Amino acid sequence: MPNATVPPTDLHRHGGDGWVTCGDHRHWGLFGAAGLLLVRRDLDGTPSHLVLQHRALWSHMGGTWGIPGGALAPDEKPAAGALREAAEEAAIDPAAVHVVGTHVLEHPAWTYTTVVADVAPGYRVEPRAADPESLEVRWAGLGDLGSLTLLPAFGEALPRLLTLLG
């Protein structure tokens, strides 16, 4: 059985992987990072569920819930990076995603872009843990978010992100 606190050796890797020091803390992604906040809506158009990732224990702040995402590759645009990461980590087909906006968290030496999106018309998304970076990936009801231990930065940003959903 693999060690739950040590990353596996078969992870997706690219030139943007690495830590950036920002004051007294670090961020993952030499060129910044991005993630996909994918929403499913009720028949009346009200947001009802989000795709959430239960982060592997060996990852930074492992064991918390957030969105699929990670470091941007060199010269990669945030939306492309978020869609790539969601495909790698959560088996989400980029064609099934309709981007509706972005939210950028800026630090002096690093940025994180949350790409906010709906499931594209005519598509059905069944997210799943597609690589070792996740303990689980699933649709989570908005009413269930209070019972999950959220990645702190995601939890902080969530009220603002929800306003982008309309």
Side-chain angles (χ1 to χ4, degrees):
M1 176 175 196
N3 185 332
T5 60
V6 177
T9 57
D10 59 344
L11 295 173
H12 310 280
R13 292 292 183 206
H14 57 71
D17 288 343
W19 291 101
V20 172
T21 300
C22 184
D24 64 350
H25 55 281
R26 304 180 313 164
H27 301 286
W28 184 253
L30 300 176
F31 306 104
L36 180 68
L37 180 66
L38 185 62
V39 65
R40 186 167 66 192
R41 296 175 183 270
D42 288 335
L43 291 176
D44 67 359
T46 303
S48 62
H49 291 79
L50 306 175
V51 171
L52 291 186
Q53 173 193 42
H54 195 191
R55 300 165 59 84
L57 298 177
W58 54 262
S59 68
H60 182 61
M61 298 194 178
T64 60
W65 289 85
I67 58 175
L72 295 174
D75 299 319
E76 186 173 44
K77 300 291 185 212
L83 292 173
R84 175 187 50 76
E85 288 282 342
E88 290 173 1
E89 296 177 357
I92 296 172
D93 179 357
V97 176
H98 172 72
V99 175
V100 298
T102 60
H103 177 266
V104 180
L105 173 65
E106 293 189 50
H107 286 245
W110 182 82
T111 59
Y112 186 92
T113 302
T114 302
V115 176
V116 180
D118 285 318
V119 175
Y123 284 89
R124 181 181 171 106
V125 173
E126 295 296 337
R128 63 176 173 77
D131 73 8
E133 295 185 49
S134 308
L135 296 172
E136 178 184 5
V137 176
R138 65 177 169 94
W139 286 108
L142 293 181
D144 299 329
L145 297 179
S147 66
L148 301 174
T149 302
L150 300 178
L151 181 74
F154 175 62
E156 250 179 64
L158 191 56
R160 169 76 175 114
L161 296 171
L162 292 175
T163 67
L164 296 175
L165 298 175

mmCIF file of all heavy atoms in Angstrom, residues 51-84:
data_model
loop_
_atom_site.group_PDB
_atom_site.id
_atom_site.type_symbol
_atom_site.label_atom_id
_atom_site.label_comp_id
_atom_site.label_asym_id
_atom_site.label_seq_id
_atom_site.Cartn_x
_atom_site.Cartn_y
_atom_site.Cartn_z
ATOM 1 N N VAL A 51 -18.444 20.768 -8.257
ATOM 2 C CA VAL A 51 -17.483 19.673 -8.265
ATOM 3 C C VAL A 51 -16.396 20.007 -7.250
ATOM 4 O O VAL A 51 -15.758 21.061 -7.341
ATOM 5 C CB VAL A 51 -16.848 19.466 -9.661
ATOM 6 C CG1 VAL A 51 -15.691 18.468 -9.574
ATOM 7 C CG2 VAL A 51 -17.888 18.982 -10.653
ATOM 8 N N LEU A 52 -16.214 19.130 -6.278
ATOM 9 C CA LEU A 52 -15.175 19.318 -5.268
ATOM 10 C C LEU A 52 -14.235 18.122 -5.246
ATOM 11 O O LEU A 52 -14.635 16.990 -5.524
ATOM 12 C CB LEU A 52 -15.779 19.518 -3.881
ATOM 13 C CG LEU A 52 -16.530 20.817 -3.653
ATOM 14 C CD1 LEU A 52 -16.935 20.930 -2.177
ATOM 15 C CD2 LEU A 52 -15.718 22.031 -4.058
ATOM 16 N N GLN A 53 -13.010 18.423 -4.887
ATOM 17 C CA GLN A 53 -11.931 17.438 -4.806
ATOM 18 C C GLN A 53 -11.485 17.321 -3.349
ATOM 19 O O GLN A 53 -11.150 18.336 -2.726
ATOM 20 C CB GLN A 53 -10.756 17.903 -5.672
ATOM 21 C CG GLN A 53 -9.521 17.061 -5.530
ATOM 22 C CD GLN A 53 -8.306 17.737 -6.157
ATOM 23 O OE1 GLN A 53 -8.098 18.933 -6.006
ATOM 24 N NE2 GLN A 53 -7.519 16.956 -6.867
ATOM 25 N N HIS A 54 -11.477 16.092 -2.834
ATOM 26 C CA HIS A 54 -10.912 15.825 -1.514
ATOM 27 C C HIS A 54 -9.431 15.552 -1.733
ATOM 28 O O HIS A 54 -9.056 14.537 -2.319
ATOM 29 C CB HIS A 54 -11.629 14.628 -0.880
ATOM 30 C CG HIS A 54 -11.399 14.492 0.573
ATOM 31 N ND1 HIS A 54 -11.775 13.372 1.264
ATOM 32 C CD2 HIS A 54 -10.838 15.314 1.491
ATOM 33 C CE1 HIS A 54 -11.462 13.513 2.535
ATOM 34 N NE2 HIS A 54 -10.886 14.689 2.688
ATOM 35 N N ARG A 55 -8.613 16.475 -1.290
ATOM 36 C CA ARG A 55 -7.186 16.473 -1.613
ATOM 37 C C ARG A 55 -6.431 15.345 -0.924
ATOM 38 O O ARG A 55 -6.662 15.058 0.255
ATOM 39 C CB ARG A 55 -6.585 17.830 -1.224
ATOM 40 C CG ARG A 55 -7.242 18.999 -1.957
ATOM 41 C CD ARG A 55 -6.924 20.326 -1.318
ATOM 42 N NE ARG A 55 -5.514 20.590 -1.269
ATOM 43 C CZ ARG A 55 -4.803 21.121 -2.270
ATOM 44 N NH1 ARG A 55 -5.390 21.415 -3.408
ATOM 45 N NH2 ARG A 55 -3.521 21.337 -2.125
ATOM 46 N N ALA A 56 -5.521 14.723 -1.692
ATOM 47 C CA ALA A 56 -4.691 13.641 -1.162
ATOM 48 C C ALA A 56 -3.951 14.111 0.089
ATOM 49 O O ALA A 56 -3.548 15.281 0.196
ATOM 50 C CB ALA A 56 -3.697 13.180 -2.216
ATOM 51 N N LEU A 57 -3.755 13.201 1.025
ATOM 52 C CA LEU A 57 -3.123 13.551 2.298
ATOM 53 C C LEU A 57 -1.695 14.063 2.126
ATOM 54 O O LEU A 57 -1.237 14.883 2.923
ATOM 55 C CB LEU A 57 -3.152 12.349 3.241
ATOM 56 C CG LEU A 57 -4.549 11.868 3.626
ATOM 57 C CD1 LEU A 57 -4.458 10.636 4.513
ATOM 58 C CD2 LEU A 57 -5.353 12.969 4.281
ATOM 59 N N TRP A 58 -0.985 13.605 1.109
ATOM 60 C CA TRP A 58 0.402 14.027 0.911
ATOM 61 C C TRP A 58 0.493 15.418 0.288
ATOM 62 O O TRP A 58 1.557 16.022 0.276
ATOM 63 C CB TRP A 58 1.172 13.016 0.049
ATOM 64 C CG TRP A 58 0.506 12.717 -1.257
ATOM 65 C CD1 TRP A 58 -0.286 11.641 -1.539
ATOM 66 C CD2 TRP A 58 0.546 13.496 -2.450
ATOM 67 N NE1 TRP A 58 -0.738 11.708 -2.827
ATOM 68 C CE2 TRP A 58 -0.239 12.838 -3.415
ATOM 69 C CE3 TRP A 58 1.170 14.688 -2.810
ATOM 70 C CZ2 TRP A 58 -0.422 13.328 -4.708
ATOM 71 C CZ3 TRP A 58 0.994 15.179 -4.092
ATOM 72 C CH2 TRP A 58 0.204 14.502 -5.026
ATOM 73 N N SER A 59 -0.610 15.944 -0.224
ATOM 74 C CA SER A 59 -0.580 17.253 -0.890
ATOM 75 C C SER A 59 -0.596 18.388 0.125
ATOM 76 O O SER A 59 -0.904 18.190 1.300
ATOM 77 C CB SER A 59 -1.763 17.385 -1.858
ATOM 78 O OG SER A 59 -2.978 17.454 -1.150
ATOM 79 N N HIS A 60 -0.277 19.581 -0.339
ATOM 80 C CA HIS A 60 -0.327 20.774 0.508
ATOM 81 C C HIS A 60 -1.745 20.926 1.051
ATOM 82 O O HIS A 60 -2.710 20.938 0.296
ATOM 83 C CB HIS A 60 0.088 21.997 -0.318
ATOM 84 C CG HIS A 60 0.113 23.270 0.456
ATOM 85 N ND1 HIS A 60 0.931 23.450 1.547
ATOM 86 C CD2 HIS A 60 -0.565 24.415 0.299
ATOM 87 C CE1 HIS A 60 0.754 24.663 2.028
ATOM 88 N NE2 HIS A 60 -0.157 25.273 1.277
ATOM 89 N N MET A 61 -1.887 20.994 2.368
ATOM 90 C CA MET A 61 -3.178 21.056 3.050
ATOM 91 C C MET A 61 -4.053 19.860 2.695
ATOM 92 O O MET A 61 -5.258 19.971 2.504
ATOM 93 C CB MET A 61 -3.880 22.380 2.771
ATOM 94 C CG MET A 61 -3.087 23.552 3.290
ATOM 95 S SD MET A 61 -4.080 25.029 3.339
ATOM 96 C CE MET A 61 -2.886 26.152 4.043
ATOM 97 N N GLY A 62 -3.411 18.706 2.588
ATOM 98 C CA GLY A 62 -4.110 17.473 2.262
ATOM 99 C C GLY A 62 -5.230 17.158 3.238
ATOM 100 O O GLY A 62 -5.187 17.549 4.401
ATOM 101 N N GLY A 63 -6.237 16.471 2.719
ATOM 102 C CA GLY A 63 -7.390 16.110 3.522
ATOM 103 C C GLY A 63 -8.493 17.152 3.486
ATOM 104 O O GLY A 63 -9.588 16.900 3.985
ATOM 105 N N THR A 64 -8.215 18.321 2.910
ATOM 106 C CA THR A 64 -9.248 19.345 2.782
ATOM 107 C C THR A 64 -9.937 19.216 1.428
ATOM 108 O O THR A 64 -9.461 18.509 0.538
ATOM 109 C CB THR A 64 -8.647 20.759 2.916
ATOM 110 O OG1 THR A 64 -7.678 20.960 1.879
ATOM 111 C CG2 THR A 64 -8.007 20.962 4.280
ATOM 112 N N TRP A 65 -11.059 19.914 1.288
ATOM 113 C CA TRP A 65 -11.836 19.912 0.053
ATOM 114 C C TRP A 65 -11.617 21.228 -0.675
ATOM 115 O O TRP A 65 -11.619 22.298 -0.068
ATOM 116 C CB TRP A 65 -13.323 19.754 0.352
ATOM 117 C CG TRP A 65 -13.702 18.396 0.833
ATOM 118 C CD1 TRP A 65 -13.652 17.926 2.111
ATOM 119 C CD2 TRP A 65 -14.187 17.315 0.032
ATOM 120 N NE1 TRP A 65 -14.073 16.621 2.159
ATOM 121 C CE2 TRP A 65 -14.427 16.228 0.892
ATOM 122 C CE3 TRP A 65 -14.455 17.163 -1.328
ATOM 123 C CZ2 TRP A 65 -14.906 15.005 0.438
ATOM 124 C CZ3 TRP A 65 -14.946 15.950 -1.784
ATOM 125 C CH2 TRP A 65 -15.158 14.889 -0.899
ATOM 126 N N GLY A 66 -11.425 21.129 -1.971
ATOM 127 C CA GLY A 66 -11.270 22.306 -2.817
ATOM 128 C C GLY A 66 -11.753 21.973 -4.214
ATOM 129 O O GLY A 66 -12.563 21.064 -4.397
ATOM 130 N N ILE A 67 -11.221 22.678 -5.179
ATOM 131 C CA ILE A 67 -11.598 22.429 -6.566
ATOM 132 C C ILE A 67 -10.404 21.835 -7.302
ATOM 133 O O ILE A 67 -9.256 22.040 -6.907
ATOM 134 C CB ILE A 67 -12.090 23.717 -7.255
ATOM 135 C CG1 ILE A 67 -11.025 24.817 -7.216
ATOM 136 C CG2 ILE A 67 -13.394 24.185 -6.623
ATOM 137 C CD1 ILE A 67 -11.401 26.081 -7.976
ATOM 138 N N PRO A 68 -10.662 21.080 -8.372
ATOM 139 C CA PRO A 68 -9.533 20.568 -9.157
ATOM 140 C C PRO A 68 -8.726 21.735 -9.712
ATOM 141 O O PRO A 68 -9.294 22.706 -10.218
ATOM 142 C CB PRO A 68 -10.204 19.789 -10.295
ATOM 143 C CG PRO A 68 -11.615 19.570 -9.867
ATOM 144 C CD PRO A 68 -11.948 20.681 -8.923
ATOM 145 N N GLY A 69 -7.429 21.644 -9.587
ATOM 146 C CA GLY A 69 -6.570 22.724 -10.076
ATOM 147 C C GLY A 69 -5.126 22.457 -9.749
ATOM 148 O O GLY A 69 -4.792 21.477 -9.089
ATOM 149 N N GLY A 70 -4.274 23.361 -10.210
ATOM 150 C CA GLY A 70 -2.860 23.221 -9.930
ATOM 151 C C GLY A 70 -2.028 24.227 -10.687
ATOM 152 O O GLY A 70 -2.543 25.206 -11.241
ATOM 153 N N ALA A 71 -0.738 23.968 -10.710
ATOM 154 C CA ALA A 71 0.231 24.872 -11.309
ATOM 155 C C ALA A 71 0.000 25.044 -12.810
ATOM 156 O O ALA A 71 -0.322 24.095 -13.510
ATOM 157 C CB ALA A 71 1.644 24.344 -11.065
ATOM 158 N N LEU A 72 0.189 26.271 -13.271
ATOM 159 C CA LEU A 72 0.138 26.545 -14.703
ATOM 160 C C LEU A 72 1.459 26.158 -15.341
ATOM 161 O O LEU A 72 2.528 26.382 -14.771
ATOM 162 C CB LEU A 72 -0.134 28.027 -14.961
ATOM 163 C CG LEU A 72 -1.492 28.547 -14.497
ATOM 164 C CD1 LEU A 72 -1.564 30.060 -14.670
ATOM 165 C CD2 LEU A 72 -2.615 27.855 -15.243
ATOM 166 N N ALA A 73 1.377 25.581 -16.526
ATOM 167 C CA ALA A 73 2.584 25.273 -17.305
ATOM 168 C C ALA A 73 3.134 26.572 -17.886
ATOM 169 O O ALA A 73 2.422 27.581 -17.971
ATOM 170 C CB ALA A 73 2.239 24.287 -18.422
ATOM 171 N N PRO A 74 4.397 26.603 -18.299
ATOM 172 C CA PRO A 74 4.949 27.813 -18.917
ATOM 173 C C PRO A 74 4.080 28.253 -20.100
ATOM 174 O O PRO A 74 3.674 27.439 -20.923
ATOM 175 C CB PRO A 74 6.338 27.373 -19.394
ATOM 176 C CG PRO A 74 6.677 26.196 -18.532
ATOM 177 C CD PRO A 74 5.370 25.513 -18.233
ATOM 178 N N ASP A 75 3.762 29.542 -20.140
ATOM 179 C CA ASP A 75 2.972 30.159 -21.218
ATOM 180 C C ASP A 75 1.528 29.658 -21.294
ATOM 181 O O ASP A 75 0.840 29.930 -22.274
ATOM 182 C CB ASP A 75 3.650 29.980 -22.587
ATOM 183 C CG ASP A 75 5.027 30.635 -22.628
ATOM 184 O OD1 ASP A 75 5.160 31.749 -22.091
ATOM 185 O OD2 ASP A 75 5.947 30.018 -23.184
ATOM 186 N N GLU A 76 1.040 28.945 -20.297
ATOM 187 C CA GLU A 76 -0.331 28.449 -20.307
ATOM 188 C C GLU A 76 -1.263 29.521 -19.735
ATOM 189 O O GLU A 76 -0.980 30.114 -18.699
ATOM 190 C CB GLU A 76 -0.430 27.172 -19.469
ATOM 191 C CG GLU A 76 -1.761 26.480 -19.524
ATOM 192 C CD GLU A 76 -1.745 25.148 -18.807
ATOM 193 O OE1 GLU A 76 -1.177 25.069 -17.677
ATOM 194 O OE2 GLU A 76 -2.283 24.173 -19.354
ATOM 195 N N LYS A 77 -2.367 29.756 -20.395
ATOM 196 C CA LYS A 77 -3.380 30.697 -19.915
ATOM 197 C C LYS A 77 -4.158 30.034 -18.777
ATOM 198 O O LYS A 77 -4.349 28.813 -18.768
ATOM 199 C CB LYS A 77 -4.328 31.087 -21.036
ATOM 200 C CG LYS A 77 -3.650 31.747 -22.214
ATOM 201 C CD LYS A 77 -3.150 33.115 -21.838
ATOM 202 C CE LYS A 77 -2.578 33.825 -23.056
ATOM 203 N NZ LYS A 77 -1.502 34.707 -22.726
ATOM 204 N N PRO A 78 -4.634 30.835 -17.801
ATOM 205 C CA PRO A 78 -5.333 30.245 -16.656
ATOM 206 C C PRO A 78 -6.528 29.371 -17.024
ATOM 207 O O PRO A 78 -6.700 28.294 -16.443
ATOM 208 C CB PRO A 78 -5.755 31.459 -15.833
ATOM 209 C CG PRO A 78 -4.705 32.480 -16.144
ATOM 210 C CD PRO A 78 -4.389 32.266 -17.608
ATOM 211 N N ALA A 79 -7.369 29.782 -17.969
ATOM 212 C CA ALA A 79 -8.532 28.957 -18.319
ATOM 213 C C ALA A 79 -8.086 27.613 -18.885
ATOM 214 O O ALA A 79 -8.641 26.569 -18.534
ATOM 215 C CB ALA A 79 -9.439 29.685 -19.307
ATOM 216 N N ALA A 80 -7.072 27.629 -19.740
ATOM 217 C CA ALA A 80 -6.562 26.373 -20.306
ATOM 218 C C ALA A 80 -5.968 25.497 -19.209
ATOM 219 O O ALA A 80 -6.159 24.280 -19.193
ATOM 220 C CB ALA A 80 -5.526 26.656 -21.386
ATOM 221 N N GLY A 81 -5.254 26.100 -18.270
ATOM 222 C CA GLY A 81 -4.670 25.342 -17.171
ATOM 223 C C GLY A 81 -5.719 24.733 -16.263
ATOM 224 O O GLY A 81 -5.602 23.579 -15.840
ATOM 225 N N ALA A 82 -6.770 25.495 -15.967
ATOM 226 C CA ALA A 82 -7.837 24.980 -15.118
ATOM 227 C C ALA A 82 -8.544 23.802 -15.791
ATOM 228 O O ALA A 82 -8.824 22.785 -15.145
ATOM 229 C CB ALA A 82 -8.836 26.082 -14.792
ATOM 230 N N LEU A 83 -8.802 23.914 -17.080
ATOM 231 C CA LEU A 83 -9.457 22.821 -17.804
ATOM 232 C C LEU A 83 -8.550 21.598 -17.902
ATOM 233 O O LEU A 83 -9.015 20.463 -17.757
ATOM 234 C CB LEU A 83 -9.884 23.288 -19.198
ATOM 235 C CG LEU A 83 -11.009 24.322 -19.220
ATOM 236 C CD1 LEU A 83 -11.236 24.834 -20.638
ATOM 237 C CD2 LEU A 83 -12.288 23.761 -18.634
ATOM 238 N N ARG A 84 -7.251 21.811 -18.112
ATOM 239 C CA ARG A 84 -6.305 20.690 -18.162
ATOM 240 C C ARG A 84 -6.263 19.978 -16.818
ATOM 241 O O ARG A 84 -6.334 18.753 -16.739
ATOM 242 C CB ARG A 84 -4.899 21.191 -18.550
ATOM 243 C CG ARG A 84 -3.839 20.082 -18.498
ATOM 244 C CD ARG A 84 -2.435 20.625 -18.725
ATOM 245 N NE ARG A 84 -2.080 21.767 -17.905
ATOM 246 C CZ ARG A 84 -1.758 21.713 -16.604
ATOM 247 N NH1 ARG A 84 -1.759 20.544 -15.956
ATOM 248 N NH2 ARG A 84 -1.431 22.809 -15.949
#
